[in-house]
């Protein structure tokens, strides 16, 4: 193993270095994390391109097992398909042509998925391969479908192992790096924490490969612009994004209330120690909580595509019990919205009480008014979800 852990200067106080401290401490954020996305980079997964690092993958799988048995939901975003594919194809340098990169990814992904499956199974964990493209998350309907699938896997105790669907993406739709993909997945499933495991201890005030005396950043506010100036590009032969994509991923994850830790992937027991509250690596704390972030997101969607009116019973369930909106409580549907659009929920007197993402289009919702969820399949010919708006996708706007 050639990874060098730089002996950079110890952490320096943020006040003197120009970045601000967050309102919550890393320990508070880490111990409260229930749903966690862990991203591990190509250089670690493939031992800097030498081939899948079986023992390292085994170690992370073991740690995921500890987290899962402790009641945490875990999602793995694993890079390494292209690096492993190159190794299997005997290519010594990274090809420039997109179709060659895609071919390498197709070859490498086989081994990557197989290795994760084997190692997670040894921990008694089921696993599922999920390959995503940007288009899957940009399209509202596919976004909701991807979300439902991932949440269903988590509900069944299965660990989704995610990578970009490299073989079908084109330049325009590429996430480009799995740090961004990790953040988008954190947004998608409203994770509490994104852990980015890499070949450095975390963020330094400059790339430690170039400036060995750079200082270590222990904690900062996710999205603080001062961080972007410190972060450089990839350091290893096989990594793609470098530190800048990790900093931007933390900013993006914070958009849905998830904090981010950037840590060395070979730190012993890094994951269990983190969730026990130990401040390992760089902790980039999100300013707002998940609920605040969701509210903000809904508030930003000023253009409501429609509305449903609900009866007094449903008003009480939404306002006082934090429940989902079921079709049986709906009395009328206005507008022409699609699945995934933000719609208003109105009380019988017409007052808006909540907003949320519709699971069914307006035409379907009209058929579902006052009907029990058990009839959805008979009425529509299929059933996406039993709720019209799931409580996770709903914010109360009036009390
Ligand atoms: N400010 C910085 N602090 C730490 N690492 C940095 C910084 N700027 C650039 N880097 C580089 O980013 C690299 C990690 O990113 P990358 O090579 O893409 O890894 P991964 O495969 O884990 O995503 C480090 O090896 C380091 O050389
Ligand atoms: N989807 C690509 C990963 C690209 C990538 O972001 O790599 P890295 O910067 O090492 O996380 C692969 O599996 O090779």
């Amino acid at each position: 193993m050639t990874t060098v852990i730089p002996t950079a200067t110890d952490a320096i106080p943020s006040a003197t270095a120009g970045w601000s401290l967050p309102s919550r401490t890393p320990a508070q954020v880490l111990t409260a994390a229930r749903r966690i996305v862990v991203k591990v980079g190509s250089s670690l997964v493939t031992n800097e391109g030498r081939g899948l690092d079986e023992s390292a993958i085994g170690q992370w799988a073991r740690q995921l097992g500890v987290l899962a048995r402790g009641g945490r939901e875990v999602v793995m975003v694993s890079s390494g398909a292209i690096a492993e594919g190159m190794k299997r194809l005997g290519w010594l340098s990274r090809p420039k042509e997109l179709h060659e990169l895609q071919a390498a990814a197709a070859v490498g992904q086989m081994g990557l998925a197989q290795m994760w499956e084997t190692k997670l199974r040894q921990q008694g964990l089921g696993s599922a391969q999920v390959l995503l493209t940007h288009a899957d998350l940009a399209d509202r309907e596919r976004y909701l479908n991807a979300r439902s699938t991932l949440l269903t896997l988590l509900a069944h105790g299965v660990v989704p192992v995610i990578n970009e669907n490299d073989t079908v993406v084109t330049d325009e739709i590429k996430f480009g790096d799995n740090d961004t993909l990790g953040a988008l997945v954190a947004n998608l499933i409203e994770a509490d924490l994104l852990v980015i495991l890499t070949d450095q201890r975390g963020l330094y005030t400059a790339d430690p490969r170039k400036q060995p005396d750079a200082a270590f950043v222990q904690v900062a506010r996710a999205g603080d612009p001062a961080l972007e100036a410190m972060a450089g590009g990839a350091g290893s032969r096989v990594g793609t994004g470098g530190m800048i994509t990790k900093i931007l991923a933390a900013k993006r994850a914070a958009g849905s209330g998830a904090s981010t830790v950037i840590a060395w992937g070979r730190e012993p027991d890094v994951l269990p120690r983190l969730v026990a509250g130990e401040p390992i690596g760089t902790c980039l704390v999100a300013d707002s909580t998940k609920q605040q972030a969701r509210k903000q997101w809904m508030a930003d969607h000023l253009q409501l595509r429609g509305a449903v009116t609900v009866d007094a019973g449903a008003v009480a369930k939404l306002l006082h019990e934090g429940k989902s909106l079921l079709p049986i409580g709906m009395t009328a549907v206005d507008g022409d919205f699609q699945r995934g659009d933000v719609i208003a929920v109105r009380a019988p007197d017409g007052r808006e009480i909540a907003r949320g993402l519709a699971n069914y289009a307006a035409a379907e919702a009209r058929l579902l008014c006052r009907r029990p969820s058990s009839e959805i399949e008979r009425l529509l010919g299929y059933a996406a979800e039993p709720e019209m708006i799931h409580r996770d996708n709903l914010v109360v706007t009036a009390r």
Side-chain angles (χ1 to χ4, degrees), residues 142-159:
R142 281 155 79 173
Y143 176 95
L144 276 186
N145 291 344
R147 177 182 155 91
S148 304
T149 305
L150 288 174
L151 294 183
T152 305
L153 290 169
L154 292 177
H156 286 81
V158 173
V159 179

PDB file of all heavy atoms in Angstrom, residues 142-159:
ATOM      1  N   ARG A 142     -38.875   9.862 -12.413  1.00  0.00           N
ATOM      2  CA  ARG A 142     -37.806   8.888 -12.170  1.00  0.00           C
ATOM      3  C   ARG A 142     -37.169   9.138 -10.807  1.00  0.00           C
ATOM      4  O   ARG A 142     -36.729   8.204 -10.126  1.00  0.00           O
ATOM      5  CB  ARG A 142     -36.778   8.954 -13.296  1.00  0.00           C
ATOM      6  CG  ARG A 142     -37.293   8.196 -14.516  1.00  0.00           C
ATOM      7  CD  ARG A 142     -36.674   8.683 -15.777  1.00  0.00           C
ATOM      8  NE  ARG A 142     -35.334   8.159 -15.970  1.00  0.00           N
ATOM      9  CZ  ARG A 142     -34.644   8.343 -17.092  1.00  0.00           C
ATOM     10  NH1 ARG A 142     -35.172   9.015 -18.089  1.00  0.00           N
ATOM     11  NH2 ARG A 142     -33.436   7.860 -17.213  1.00  0.00           N
ATOM     12  N   TYR A 143     -37.110  10.401 -10.406  1.00  0.00           N
ATOM     13  CA  TYR A 143     -36.579  10.763  -9.090  1.00  0.00           C
ATOM     14  C   TYR A 143     -37.392  10.064  -7.993  1.00  0.00           C
ATOM     15  O   TYR A 143     -36.852   9.419  -7.103  1.00  0.00           O
ATOM     16  CB  TYR A 143     -36.680  12.288  -8.947  1.00  0.00           C
ATOM     17  CG  TYR A 143     -36.258  12.852  -7.617  1.00  0.00           C
ATOM     18  CD1 TYR A 143     -34.967  13.325  -7.436  1.00  0.00           C
ATOM     19  CD2 TYR A 143     -37.147  12.950  -6.555  1.00  0.00           C
ATOM     20  CE1 TYR A 143     -34.573  13.871  -6.222  1.00  0.00           C
ATOM     21  CE2 TYR A 143     -36.756  13.493  -5.339  1.00  0.00           C
ATOM     22  CZ  TYR A 143     -35.478  13.948  -5.183  1.00  0.00           C
ATOM     23  OH  TYR A 143     -35.088  14.478  -3.980  1.00  0.00           O
ATOM     24  N   LEU A 144     -38.713  10.181  -8.120  1.00  0.00           N
ATOM     25  CA  LEU A 144     -39.564   9.549  -7.105  1.00  0.00           C
ATOM     26  C   LEU A 144     -39.424   8.027  -7.136  1.00  0.00           C
ATOM     27  O   LEU A 144     -39.434   7.371  -6.099  1.00  0.00           O
ATOM     28  CB  LEU A 144     -41.036   9.915  -7.329  1.00  0.00           C
ATOM     29  CG  LEU A 144     -41.512  11.239  -6.749  1.00  0.00           C
ATOM     30  CD1 LEU A 144     -43.007  11.376  -6.929  1.00  0.00           C
ATOM     31  CD2 LEU A 144     -41.156  11.377  -5.275  1.00  0.00           C
ATOM     32  N   ASN A 145     -39.283   7.476  -8.352  1.00  0.00           N
ATOM     33  CA  ASN A 145     -39.140   6.020  -8.454  1.00  0.00           C
ATOM     34  C   ASN A 145     -37.822   5.561  -7.833  1.00  0.00           C
ATOM     35  O   ASN A 145     -37.789   4.564  -7.098  1.00  0.00           O
ATOM     36  CB  ASN A 145     -39.199   5.578  -9.922  1.00  0.00           C
ATOM     37  CG  ASN A 145     -40.582   5.757 -10.494  1.00  0.00           C
ATOM     38  OD1 ASN A 145     -41.549   5.932  -9.752  1.00  0.00           O
ATOM     39  ND2 ASN A 145     -40.698   5.724 -11.806  1.00  0.00           N
ATOM     40  N   ALA A 146     -36.742   6.300  -8.129  1.00  0.00           N
ATOM     41  CA  ALA A 146     -35.443   5.935  -7.559  1.00  0.00           C
ATOM     42  C   ALA A 146     -35.512   6.017  -6.034  1.00  0.00           C
ATOM     43  O   ALA A 146     -35.013   5.158  -5.313  1.00  0.00           O
ATOM     44  CB  ALA A 146     -34.354   6.865  -8.087  1.00  0.00           C
ATOM     45  N   ARG A 147     -36.181   7.064  -5.555  1.00  0.00           N
ATOM     46  CA  ARG A 147     -36.311   7.261  -4.111  1.00  0.00           C
ATOM     47  C   ARG A 147     -37.094   6.096  -3.471  1.00  0.00           C
ATOM     48  O   ARG A 147     -36.663   5.519  -2.473  1.00  0.00           O
ATOM     49  CB  ARG A 147     -37.028   8.594  -3.869  1.00  0.00           C
ATOM     50  CG  ARG A 147     -37.303   8.891  -2.429  1.00  0.00           C
ATOM     51  CD  ARG A 147     -38.070  10.208  -2.321  1.00  0.00           C
ATOM     52  NE  ARG A 147     -38.831  10.203  -1.098  1.00  0.00           N
ATOM     53  CZ  ARG A 147     -38.374  10.669   0.061  1.00  0.00           C
ATOM     54  NH1 ARG A 147     -37.186  11.192   0.131  1.00  0.00           N
ATOM     55  NH2 ARG A 147     -39.122  10.612   1.137  1.00  0.00           N
ATOM     56  N   SER A 148     -38.223   5.752  -4.087  1.00  0.00           N
ATOM     57  CA  SER A 148     -39.038   4.669  -3.523  1.00  0.00           C
ATOM     58  C   SER A 148     -38.248   3.366  -3.503  1.00  0.00           C
ATOM     59  O   SER A 148     -38.306   2.609  -2.539  1.00  0.00           O
ATOM     60  CB  SER A 148     -40.297   4.407  -4.352  1.00  0.00           C
ATOM     61  OG  SER A 148     -41.019   5.561  -4.478  1.00  0.00           O
ATOM     62  N   THR A 149     -37.508   3.117  -4.588  1.00  0.00           N
ATOM     63  CA  THR A 149     -36.754   1.856  -4.647  1.00  0.00           C
ATOM     64  C   THR A 149     -35.700   1.824  -3.545  1.00  0.00           C
ATOM     65  O   THR A 149     -35.579   0.821  -2.823  1.00  0.00           O
ATOM     66  CB  THR A 149     -36.055   1.710  -6.022  1.00  0.00           C
ATOM     67  OG1 THR A 149     -37.049   1.837  -7.029  1.00  0.00           O
ATOM     68  CG2 THR A 149     -35.355   0.373  -6.151  1.00  0.00           C
ATOM     69  N   LEU A 150     -34.967   2.921  -3.399  1.00  0.00           N
ATOM     70  CA  LEU A 150     -33.911   2.929  -2.381  1.00  0.00           C
ATOM     71  C   LEU A 150     -34.500   2.791  -0.977  1.00  0.00           C
ATOM     72  O   LEU A 150     -33.982   2.054  -0.143  1.00  0.00           O
ATOM     73  CB  LEU A 150     -33.069   4.214  -2.492  1.00  0.00           C
ATOM     74  CG  LEU A 150     -32.146   4.266  -3.706  1.00  0.00           C
ATOM     75  CD1 LEU A 150     -31.461   5.622  -3.809  1.00  0.00           C
ATOM     76  CD2 LEU A 150     -31.092   3.163  -3.630  1.00  0.00           C
ATOM     77  N   LEU A 151     -35.612   3.494  -0.730  1.00  0.00           N
ATOM     78  CA  LEU A 151     -36.206   3.418   0.607  1.00  0.00           C
ATOM     79  C   LEU A 151     -36.767   2.012   0.870  1.00  0.00           C
ATOM     80  O   LEU A 151     -36.711   1.511   1.995  1.00  0.00           O
ATOM     81  CB  LEU A 151     -37.295   4.477   0.779  1.00  0.00           C
ATOM     82  CG  LEU A 151     -36.792   5.931   0.744  1.00  0.00           C
ATOM     83  CD1 LEU A 151     -37.926   6.913   0.983  1.00  0.00           C
ATOM     84  CD2 LEU A 151     -35.676   6.167   1.771  1.00  0.00           C
ATOM     85  N   THR A 152     -37.262   1.376  -0.189  1.00  0.00           N
ATOM     86  CA  THR A 152     -37.764   0.006  -0.019  1.00  0.00           C
ATOM     87  C   THR A 152     -36.611  -0.936   0.313  1.00  0.00           C
ATOM     88  O   THR A 152     -36.726  -1.793   1.196  1.00  0.00           O
ATOM     89  CB  THR A 152     -38.486  -0.467  -1.307  1.00  0.00           C
ATOM     90  OG1 THR A 152     -39.497   0.483  -1.618  1.00  0.00           O
ATOM     91  CG2 THR A 152     -39.090  -1.846  -1.142  1.00  0.00           C
ATOM     92  N   LEU A 153     -35.492  -0.758  -0.379  1.00  0.00           N
ATOM     93  CA  LEU A 153     -34.322  -1.597  -0.082  1.00  0.00           C
ATOM     94  C   LEU A 153     -33.898  -1.407   1.378  1.00  0.00           C
ATOM     95  O   LEU A 153     -33.645  -2.379   2.096  1.00  0.00           O
ATOM     96  CB  LEU A 153     -33.159  -1.245  -1.017  1.00  0.00           C
ATOM     97  CG  LEU A 153     -33.338  -1.661  -2.487  1.00  0.00           C
ATOM     98  CD1 LEU A 153     -32.267  -1.020  -3.358  1.00  0.00           C
ATOM     99  CD2 LEU A 153     -33.290  -3.181  -2.627  1.00  0.00           C
ATOM    100  N   LEU A 154     -33.859  -0.138   1.813  1.00  0.00           N
ATOM    101  CA  LEU A 154     -33.446   0.129   3.203  1.00  0.00           C
ATOM    102  C   LEU A 154     -34.433  -0.486   4.184  1.00  0.00           C
ATOM    103  O   LEU A 154     -34.033  -1.058   5.205  1.00  0.00           O
ATOM    104  CB  LEU A 154     -33.330   1.644   3.436  1.00  0.00           C
ATOM    105  CG  LEU A 154     -32.195   2.341   2.698  1.00  0.00           C
ATOM    106  CD1 LEU A 154     -32.221   3.840   2.950  1.00  0.00           C
ATOM    107  CD2 LEU A 154     -30.847   1.760   3.106  1.00  0.00           C
ATOM    108  N   ALA A 155     -35.718  -0.389   3.863  1.00  0.00           N
ATOM    109  CA  ALA A 155     -36.734  -0.950   4.768  1.00  0.00           C
ATOM    110  C   ALA A 155     -36.564  -2.462   4.903  1.00  0.00           C
ATOM    111  O   ALA A 155     -36.942  -3.050   5.908  1.00  0.00           O
ATOM    112  CB  ALA A 155     -38.131  -0.610   4.258  1.00  0.00           C
ATOM    113  N   HIS A 156     -35.997  -3.089   3.869  1.00  0.00           N
ATOM    114  CA  HIS A 156     -35.770  -4.538   3.922  1.00  0.00           C
ATOM    115  C   HIS A 156     -34.369  -4.889   4.424  1.00  0.00           C
ATOM    116  O   HIS A 156     -33.936  -6.035   4.315  1.00  0.00           O
ATOM    117  CB  HIS A 156     -36.006  -5.169   2.543  1.00  0.00           C
ATOM    118  CG  HIS A 156     -37.453  -5.252   2.195  1.00  0.00           C
ATOM    119  ND1 HIS A 156     -38.164  -4.188   1.696  1.00  0.00           N
ATOM    120  CD2 HIS A 156     -38.346  -6.268   2.331  1.00  0.00           C
ATOM    121  CE1 HIS A 156     -39.418  -4.543   1.510  1.00  0.00           C
ATOM    122  NE2 HIS A 156     -39.569  -5.795   1.890  1.00  0.00           N
ATOM    123  N   GLY A 157     -33.669  -3.898   4.902  1.00  0.00           N
ATOM    124  CA  GLY A 157     -32.341  -4.160   5.474  1.00  0.00           C
ATOM    125  C   GLY A 157     -31.291  -4.484   4.421  1.00  0.00           C
ATOM    126  O   GLY A 157     -30.251  -5.070   4.719  1.00  0.00           O
ATOM    127  N   VAL A 158     -31.574  -4.122   3.160  1.00  0.00           N
ATOM    128  CA  VAL A 158     -30.624  -4.380   2.071  1.00  0.00           C
ATOM    129  C   VAL A 158     -29.750  -3.140   1.874  1.00  0.00           C
ATOM    130  O   VAL A 158     -30.251  -2.015   1.934  1.00  0.00           O
ATOM    131  CB  VAL A 158     -31.407  -4.693   0.773  1.00  0.00           C
ATOM    132  CG1 VAL A 158     -30.472  -4.796  -0.416  1.00  0.00           C
ATOM    133  CG2 VAL A 158     -32.221  -5.973   0.938  1.00  0.00           C
ATOM    134  N   VAL A 159     -28.466  -3.349   1.636  1.00  0.00           N
ATOM    135  CA  VAL A 159     -27.566  -2.214   1.414  1.00  0.00           C
ATOM    136  C   VAL A 159     -27.476  -1.923  -0.091  1.00  0.00           C
ATOM    137  O   VAL A 159     -26.952  -2.734  -0.848  1.00  0.00           O
ATOM    138  CB  VAL A 159     -26.145  -2.522   1.943  1.00  0.00           C
ATOM    139  CG1 VAL A 159     -25.208  -1.340   1.683  1.00  0.00           C
ATOM    140  CG2 VAL A 159     -26.189  -2.873   3.421  1.00  0.00           C
TER     141      VAL A 159
END
